[in-house]
Amino acid sequence: MSSFYVILTGMLVAGGCSIVGCFLVLRKMAMIGDAISHAVLPGIVIAFLISGSRDSVWMMFGAAVLGLLTVYLIQLFQQSGLQSDAAIGVVFTTLFAIGVLLISVFASNAHLDMDHVLYGEIAYVPWNTLEIVGFDVGPRAVWITGAMFLINLLVIGGFFKQFKITSFDPALAASLGIPVVFFHYLLMSLVSLTTVASFESVGAILVVGMLVVPPLTAYLLTEKLSRMIVYSVGFGAISSVVGFYTASVLDASIAACMLCVSGVLLLLAFLFSPSHGVIWQKLFQQRGIVGEVGEDSK
């Protein structure tokens, strides 16, 4: 049963990340998840200093607030003329440094367990359970990641056309009366909440990877956004299942194996995709050259 919960959590994380990750890839903001996962450190420390508790609820709340602040600051720098990658780099490194400074000055004697909060281990998911009215209802991570997956599915599904138009052509969306800024912040809020809701249980590296790799794999295989989202969720699920059993055989990190499997799927798509695959393009080029030579010889 413990293995079932680990795989289920991995699939829910991959699904939730993949849904919003497709739009990040299309908007060329793939590394926003990495920025959020590091920039939330000050929120975790401040939550500890205010509450005096290392309870996950307080730390998750502080992380969520800083995650949204990170998104706002990145957008603010971009609007001021700074390039997207530079804005992301400046914001997340500065906030992460502030978090380290707060720990060294105000919480140097406190064991905040940063490795667990920022880089949690998915193998521990079955033992961190949630109790409601005295009843054990299963792993906390399954409920949190499952709820976030459902929220992403409902919001993206409910406003699919708006997200699609604002991602491909913001000027057209504005001319149609669609509030482009609102949907940008709504998407960034979903990304922030998805990242924060997932990384405590499964690790920041797995979350960041699932935000980028499955959507990029799907991007190489289809030109249709709806299919891209479905393919991305499917690739994330496959990576979770195959990665878990690969880790069991190798006695290795589960999260690392899940991401490695996801990376292998991306490599296969990169090589053999009918529209973008390197090998297919080489074959078509060779056939074209042979065809031209044959025509010239006649």
Side-chain angles (χ1 to χ4, degrees):
M1 182 60 74
S2 61
S3 60
F4 168 77
Y5 283 131
V6 172
I7 294 174
L8 178 60
T9 302
M11 293 176 67
L12 290 172
V13 170
C17 291
S18 295
I19 292 173
V20 294
C22 288
F23 293 95
L24 292 182
V25 170
L26 293 175
R27 291 170 178 241
K28 299 180 180 180
M29 300 182 68
M31 294 310 296
I32 192 72
D34 186 37
I36 293 173
S37 67
H38 288 79
V40 297
L41 182 58
I44 295 173
V45 179
I46 292 172
F48 168 76
L49 295 175
I50 293 175
S51 65
S53 170
R54 291 184 289 114
D55 186 88
S56 295
V57 175
W58 285 101
M59 291 189 176
M60 290 293 288
F61 176 77
V65 172
L66 259 293
L68 294 175
L69 177 62
T70 300
V71 170
Y72 173 77
L73 291 176
I74 290 174
Q75 182 65 17
L76 186 65
F77 278 116
Q78 289 177 343
Q79 291 176 348
S80 67
L82 202 62
Q83 293 182 350
S84 176
D85 56 346
I88 292 173
V90 167
V91 171
F92 100 76
T93 52
T94 302
L95 289 178
F96 187 71
I98 291 173
V100 173
L101 182 63
L102 289 175
I103 291 177
S104 62
V105 174
F106 299 107
S108 58
N109 296 324
H111 179 55
L112 290 180
D113 198 10
M114 287 297 103
D115 288 337
H116 172 68
V117 174
L118 290 177
Y119 309 102
E121 174 55 59
I122 193 172
Y124 299 150
V125 161
W127 289 276
N128 185 14
T129 59
L130 178 66
E131 290 189 2
I132 300 178
V133 196
F135 292 96
D136 189 338
V137 295
R140 180 190 300 269
V142 171
W143 287 96
I144 295 176
T145 56
M148 203 61 236
F149 172 76
L150 183 60
I151 291 172
N152 287 346
L153 190 63
L154 292 175
V155 174
I156 296 297
F159 299 101
F160 179 75
K161 291 182 179 180
Q162 290 85 344
F163 281 117
K164 180 179 180 179
I165 297 175
T166 55
S167 297
F168 284 105
D169 195 339
L172 174 62
S175 67
L176 294 174
I178 298 174
V180 177
V181 175
F182 169 78
F183 281 102
H184 172 78
Y185 279 110
L186 180 57
L187 177 64
M188 293 300 105
S189 296
L190 291 177
V191 173
S192 176
L193 293 174
T194 301
T195 304
V196 171
S198 303
F199 71 61
E200 181 190 10
S201 300
V202 304
I205 302 302
L206 181 60
V207 176
V208 174
M210 289 302 180
L211 277 171
V212 179
V213 184
L216 189 55
T217 306
Y219 176 80
L220 295 174
L221 297 176
T222 182
E223 303 292 334
K224 192 173 182 180
L225 179 57
S226 57
R227 288 181 184 175
M228 179 181 173
I229 295 175
V230 173
Y231 289 173
S232 179
V233 173
F235 288 136
I238 293 172
S239 300
S240 300
V241 176
V242 178
F244 174 81
Y245 288 107
T246 302
S248 299
V249 172
L250 300 178
D251 190 23
S253 168
I254 298 174
C257 287
M258 287 181 177
L259 275 183
C260 285
V261 171
S262 188
V264 170
L265 294 176
L266 174 60
L267 178 62
L268 292 175
F270 177 73
L271 293 175
F272 300 105
S273 168
S275 57
H276 300 281
V278 174
I279 292 180
W280 280 110
Q281 290 180 355
K282 291 292 184 182
L283 290 176
F284 286 138
Q285 289 176 358
Q286 290 179 355
R287 289 179 181 178
I289 293 174
V290 172
E292 291 176 0
V293 172
E295 292 178 358
D296 294 338
S297 64
K298 290 182 180 179

